[in-house]
Amino acid sequence: MTPSLGTHIAFGVLATFAVLTGWRVFCTDSMVRASFFLLLSFIAVGGIMILLTAEYLGVAMFFMMAVEMMVMALFMVMFMMNPAGLNPMKMVHQERVAIAAGVIAFIVLSAVAVLSDFPDAPLPAEHAPVISLGRELLGDSMLVFETAGVVLLTTMVGVVVLSSRRGRYGRADEGSMPPGLMPGGEPAGQPSEEEEGEHTHHHH
């Protein structure tokens, strides 16, 4: 089946959007914004999968990435030193190595996509791959998937428990202060003595 002009346009728009939002992940100075940029990039990739008639994979990408990126953003707010970009920071470490690895990976994957001779073996009309996949997941492999889900949930709970005693700025039972916006400055987000006095006065 030959794709229509609208399919080509939608593919170009989604591909451009996926690349731009993926690039913005490494340009922002906020871990939370980076998580949402990555979510937008994955949503665009899911849209491309739907255009390629892989509806199951596209919808699964939507649900999985939406939940995963939201959980990541919540963990960033709870545990990272700079979740909202209040203090400037770089999202890329070993920048030259990262650029070189990204360029090499892009060239290799592009060569595979452009130069490979993919097989043309359409599925018969009576074959239902989604139904077959559901029977496989809910049949003999159900115990494996359920066990993996319980292990992942236990791991998440354990991580939260082990890290809850130590907050973002120090041990919770010893008191902790956030760092200043400027080196050596007053802790960020703390009211001044005048503001505390006014608040106490109004409270009384």
Side-chain angles (χ1 to χ4, degrees), residues 28-33 81-89:
T28 182
D29 58 357
S30 165
M31 299 294 290
V32 173
R33 284 196 290 269
M81 292 291 293
N82 185 35
L86 297 177
N87 298 327
M89 63 179 293

Side-chain angles (χ1 to χ4, degrees), residues 75-173:
F75 271 76
M76 295 300 178
V77 173
M78 288 190 293
F79 300 117
M80 295 300 294
M81 292 291 293
N82 185 35
L86 297 177
N87 298 327
M89 63 179 293
K90 291 195 66 173
M91 300 294 292
V92 181
H93 303 283
Q94 298 180 342
E95 188 169 353
R96 294 182 179 179
V97 177
I99 292 175
V103 170
I104 293 174
F106 178 79
I107 293 174
V108 172
L109 294 176
S110 299
V112 171
V114 174
L115 302 178
S116 296
D117 185 15
F118 294 101
D120 185 10
L123 293 174
E126 67 275 7
H127 187 70
V130 176
I131 296 177
S132 300
L133 179 61
R135 288 175 177 171
E136 174 64 25
L137 295 179
L138 300 177
D140 298 336
S141 303
M142 186 65 180
L143 180 60
V144 177
F145 280 90
E146 290 293 334
T147 305
V150 172
V151 171
L152 290 174
L153 176 60
T154 306
T155 304
M156 293 176 62
V157 173
V159 169
V160 173
V161 171
L162 292 175
S163 59
S164 61
R165 186 175 182 185
R166 178 176 178 82
R168 190 189 304 168
Y169 306 117
R171 293 172 63 92
D173 53 358

Side-chain angles (χ1 to χ4, degrees), residues 7-8 21-22 26 57 65 72 78 84 86 90 111 120 141 156 162 180 196-197:
T7 302
H8 285 288
T21 50
F26 302 98
L57 294 178
M65 290 301 108
M72 182 182 295
M78 288 190 293
L86 297 177
K90 291 195 66 173
D120 185 10
S141 303
M156 293 176 62
L162 292 175
E196 288 183 348

